[in-house]
Structures are given as structure tokens and as C-alpha cells.
Amino acid sequence: MASHEFRTPLSVISSSAGLIKDYSHKLDETKKLKHLERIQSSVTYMTQLLEDVLLINKAEAEKLEFNPCPLDLVEFCRDLVEEMQLGIHTEHTIALHIDDSTQACWPQMNMDEKLLRQILSNLLSNAIKYSPAGSSVDFHLAYQHPRVVFQVKDKGIGIPPEDQAHLFESFHRAKNVGTIAGTGLGLAIVKKCVELHGGEIAVNSVVGRGTTFRVAIPLS
Ligand SMILES: Nc1ncnc2c1ncn2[C@@H]1O[C@H](COP(=O)(O)OP(=O)(O)OP(=O)(O)O)[C@@H](O)[C@H]1O
Ligand SMILES: [Mg+2]
């Protein structure tokens, strides 16, 4: 991986801490707060990056644990959406649609809750990150025997065709991301977690229109 992924936030921390230490008497409260916030967000970024790197290394070494357990999928998805919605306030709306025709007869699902969380939270956070503030993200959940299908659909920047084939490679980012931050690890992690469930992931995207990711996981 590129060492600047770590060096950039470290140099932000170092320069902001240095400024507070050496020029504290000259900085007003607003400026001090700005530097403290920079330190805080760099630490959060690095912690997440480190966790993702450790996770993908583990997955690539085939050492990721897979512990499927009975799961109430509908409740799990409702809770996840509520949790994510709290984190993004009102800038985006996540609309959860649960296929009504099958809701009454959802079978017992065995899934690894931790890995499923990785799959869905990465897809939802991408949909939010790569679409304009104020837009909504559709999250569909359906049971289509013999599998369960998750779809995350946004009206965002889309993915150029030449990047679509490389999305699931570690550190690959599409050429149209502009200044949107990211390391290119999320989808590599998602792919590994889907594979451990024996499932499949597919993408459909049009630049400037939006993107849909579809994950199908067979009943175990
Ligand atoms: N919903 C989406 N809309 C547009 N582009 C997307 C979307 N999801 C993924 N991408 C593209 O795929 C690339 C890889 O996604 P991935 O989630 O792996 O990395 P990331 O979002 O850049 O960083 P992070 O590791 O923080 O998730 C992104 O950089 C972006 O170019
Ligand atoms: Mg991502």
C-alpha cells in the first residue's frame, strides 16, 4: 500500500499539535479548536484505515473467521439503517424497502453478523459518500428462494466502465472520485465477506446517474 495513506494524516497531526504547542498564546479559541478537530479526525481516519488493512490482510490470508448464526435479517437491517441514519443526520436519507410479499415467510437465515455488517455498512456508506447531499439511498431487501438479495441504489456520481472491473481490488479507486476521501479497501472487504457466505456481488452503474450494488446470499 502507498505509505502516504499513513504519512498524510500523521503530518496533519504533527503540524497541528506543533502549532498548538508553540503558538498557543497567539491562536484564538476558534483556531485552536480547528487544529484539535484536525487531530481528532486524522486519528479517526488512521484507526479506520488500520482496521481495514488488518481485516483485508486477514481475509487475503484466508484467516477471516466465518461464524454463521441464526439471524433476524429484517430486524438487523432496520437497526443498521437507524444507526447509520443517526450518523449522517439529515444530509441523506436511507430508505429501507423490505419485500412485503415475502416478509411473512422469511426463512431462518444463518449469517455471520459481523461480516454482514461489513458488507452492508460499506455499501451504504459508499452510496452516501458518492452521492450529493440531500439525495436518498434505496436499500432493498428481498427473499428470492433459495437466496436473500440486498440492493443498495444511489443517484450519485456513478462509476466509469473501465473502473468497474477493478472495484473489488484493494486500493483501487475510480478516476472520477475527485476530492472525496477514501482508501479503496471497502469493496475488497465486502467481496471477501460475500464470498465467505457463498454469495455473489454485482454492480450496475452509469456515470452521472448512479450506482446499484446487488448482493445475493444463498440460504445455508
Ligand atoms: N456507490 C458508489 N458510487 C460511485 N463510486 C463508487 C461507489 N462505490 C464505490 N465506488 C468507487 O469504487 C471505489 C472503491 O470503493 P471502496 O469502498 O473500496 O473504496 P473507498 O470508498 O474509496 O474507500 P474506503 O476504503 O474508505 O471505503 C471508490 O473509490 C469509488 O471510486
Ligand atoms: Mg468505501
Side-chain angles (χ1 to χ4, degrees), residues 83-100:
E83 192 185 305
M84 293 196 67
Q85 192 74 65
L86 282 175
I88 54 176
H89 309 292
T90 51
E91 287 158 22
H92 287 83
T93 315
I94 305 173
L96 175 64
H97 310 271
I98 297 162
D99 193 334
D100 272 343

Side-chain angles (χ1 to χ4, degrees), residues 45 48-49 52 122-131 152-154 156-160 163 166-177 180-190 203 205 210-213:
Y45 169 82
Q48 184 61 51
L49 176 60
D52 283 354
N122 269 301
L123 293 180
L124 288 168
S125 64
N126 277 348
I128 291 161
K129 184 159 78 162
Y130 298 108
S131 61
V152 176
K153 187 173 184 177
D154 67 60
I157 62 171
I159 305 167
D163 286 301
H166 304 285
L167 289 183
F168 303 106
E169 295 164 14
S170 298
F171 301 109
H172 186 90
R173 303 198 72 211
K175 65 171 192 285
N176 63 333
V177 293
I180 304 173
T183 52
L185 281 175
L187 286 179
I189 292 170
V190 168
V203 61
S205 184
T211 302
T212 302
F213 278 93

Side-chain angles (χ1 to χ4, degrees), residues 116-127:
L116 184 63
R117 175 176 283 271
Q118 284 288 345
I119 296 172
L120 299 175
S121 61
N122 269 301
L123 293 180
L124 288 168
S125 64
N126 277 348

Side-chain angles (χ1 to χ4, degrees), residues 23-62:
Y23 298 98
S24 183
H25 54 292
K26 286 191 183 161
L27 296 173
D28 61 29
E29 285 308 309
T30 321
K31 287 236 169 71
K32 273 187 210 162
L33 196 64
K34 196 181 82 188
H35 287 295
L36 289 170
E37 279 167 0
R38 273 191 189 159
I39 293 173
Q40 210 169 33
S41 64
S42 297
V43 169
T44 306
Y45 169 82
M46 284 186 68
T47 309
Q48 184 61 51
L49 176 60
L50 193 60
E51 274 169 16
D52 283 354
V53 169
L54 292 174
L55 194 65
I56 196 71
N57 282 350
K58 220 172 169 185
E60 279 168 0
E62 312 292 335

